[in-house]
Amino acid sequence: MRAVILRHHLAVLLFYAILAIIITFPVIMSLDTQFLGGDNSDAYEMARHTWWFKHALQNGIDPFWQSNLGYPDGFSGVSLQADILQFFPMWFFAFLMPLASAYNITILLTMALNGWTVYLLARYLLNALTSQSPNGEAVFQNTIPALIAGVVFMAAPTFQGHLFEGHAGLMVQYPVPLYLLALFKLTEGKTLNWRWLGAAILFFQMSPSGHMLQVIYMLMPVTGLFLLARLYVRDWAGVRRILLMGSISSVILLIFLIPLIQETLQQTSYTDAGGYVRYSADLLGIVSPSFFHPVFGELLPYTREVLGVNLGEGSMYVGIIAGILAALGAIKFKAARWWLLLAVVTWVLSLGPVLKILDEPIKFTIGEYETYLTLPLALVQNLPGLSLARTPGRFNFALALALAVLAGYGAAYLWEHFFKKRLPAKRLFQWGAVALITAGIVFEYQMFFPLPTRPAAIPQAVYDLQQRDDIRAVFNIPYEHLLGAKDALFLQTAHEKPLIAGHVTRETPVNPAKLRLLQTTLDPALLNAAGADIIILHKQRADQLKTLEQLEVLLAEKFSPPIYEDEQIAIYETALTTLAPSYTVHISDETRIQQHYTADFYTPNAAWIELTATLSADALGQTLLIYLNNTPIHSVTIQGTQTIRVPIAVDANGYYRVRLSLDPPCPDRHHPALTCRHVEIGAVALRRINDGLVYNLIRYENNIELAASHVGAQGHDNVHIRLWWQFGAAMQDENFRRFVHVLDENGNQVAGYDSALITGHSDWLETISLDIAQLPPGDYQVRTGWYHFADLRRFAVLTPDIPGGQDAAPIIGEFAIE
């Protein structure tokens, strides 16, 4: 009996595997030479991480620490640990076959498993209907309808869109139907079944192991609605079991994901990525097949407007055949309507925070104001945790699951009331009808034919680099091209040398100031200090950024001709040098701030750097926040035209990025009649002050510290006092005032400054310029401290033995006027 059951399920799995081969044709003809996916897919990135698992295990290296990326420091790859099913069994197959084969076979197997698990779930649900019939008589032949349900799920355009994008982890959906099957089993008995409780917990953990955010896109909607269904029928025992399962599962999952959550929240590539509107589904998406479809693409030109910039995330076509079956199931079976509710809820969530038609948000006017038609997701999209789900279109996975089960119900009704009665003794015709339905669904859903692929071949010259011991690291340019960064990761599987940059997901965590200065200067001293002995120019990617000619000219000026070159890449050896890198600056050539303005510098030692810029804003004024490597250090309000002078204290050598950001920034979308209140910027300079950094830590009460200061007189006109304040918590009390006093030789105050700080900062760097043009010749002291405005009481100095500390006004510098 078990052998028969095993053969049955192997046959079903084989059926879905054959369909997967058809959908992904012609990759089966070139498993080891082509990767599934388009030119902008993540296939190369996935292949590199697969290779890294194999390489790390073979060499006894921690696979969850990216030691050969971000040279020389490396960085965490904890997300690889969290998303186990994203790379397994891919990395296991890589021990036995080429990377391309391991990747492609894993995708085909995943697609087959997706179909098979929905088949299991659908057959269970249809068997439940059979058990309700009189005398337990078999009303439906459930295998055929369940097969069709699996076809609808595995072939859904949502999956094909993410297959095209190379999102291998998001393709892993087969634990979810098993999780739902376990939930049904868990709630159906009179007593708690511990085996099904354990199974539900297991599949709950497995569901997001292809991609962490599947907790939001799949687990939350299906579990929430399943619980509501139990509440609706007053199944209190079932509710208690679901809550027990959910509590245990959530604790286990949270413990497992804590390191990943901490790392993710620190990555601006996730927390600042935005994209809710761009990556949401279009209202017409459910009736929009792919514009690459061999037939519909020409017949339905509007689909290009719907999906043209969102083919991966926005594909959600329901299809004529699957739609009819789903509607039939919802009409004929009350049990199917829970799945209809799931479909409607997830469809609405997939539309994002505002309604789009033809990829444009719908606008309407209320009085004199123009606004957008907001949707339910807008209410919750910025809640902690949910804010990471910047791609609402991925709720379409749950929609595809609901649609598949509904289609299974509809197929069951159709089979019983049409095929069995009309073709009772002609099984060949019955199976022929099933084949036609399956073929029709696959044909309708087909997004590409043939499916795009990417070449797996790497030039021998790249492999040859592996044998050289004189190469510390490889620098790939242009570093800022995200697809070029994926190409660079794939080349690493051949040369196996560390990369100056590299990433695990999305963008590199390596300091962008370092990468930009290395690329824009190609300074041999900087490159040598960074360990970049080889430069690989990705010619096609540079051409896409229109920087190819510029980079080729700079490379020709700095280095010998490439040691290898073809249409895609050129490999250069960097020049040997004994020179130490010097202070280097790169100033952006932008003249307008609408979001951010950046400038980068490298300093060989600790120093004071002074930012100066001429800024212009309208009469209403605009506020700019100034950051140093993502730490806010100053803010200024610009009205009219003015020149700012902001000190920057760096206590170690290295690369630094200064960013000026509008607060608030100009919106991405605004009415054409409205002008964004930008800031004009010019005459930007980052001047290194040769006196260096005086790191004289002075502690005051109320958790205030003066980390460093610098006093510099410029001629006989002004003295510039640079201060680096740090606070134990962000400054909030507007009654806290700091003062700067200039005292003459007799201890008399002859100049000074007194003001409150702008609140909300934990670091504050400022330059206070005092007019000394009228002061007589002599020696002068500069003192600084704090007091409370309400009672004028000075804050005590807690650092012992500071001159002037006994007066709560420590001396921070001196100058002389001759």
Side-chain angles (χ1 to χ4, degrees), residues 57-95:
L57 293 173
Q58 286 177 325
N59 293 277
I61 305 171
D62 180 2
F64 304 117
W65 176 258
Q66 298 298 307
S67 56
N68 68 349
L69 299 181
Y71 179 87
D73 302 317
F75 50 78
S76 173
V78 69
S79 63
L80 301 183
Q81 176 182 353
D83 299 335
I84 292 175
L85 291 181
Q86 188 172 36
F87 300 102
F88 182 84
M90 199 181 298
W91 60 261
F92 174 76
F93 290 157
F95 281 96

Side-chain angles (χ1 to χ4, degrees), residues 111-137:
M111 294 175 69
L113 288 173
N114 287 341
W116 175 66
T117 54
V118 168
Y119 165 80
L120 293 178
L121 175 62
R123 201 169 73 152
Y124 164 80
L125 294 172
L126 297 176
N127 284 341
L129 292 178
T130 301
S131 66
Q132 297 170 12
S133 64
N135 303 319
E137 181 181 348

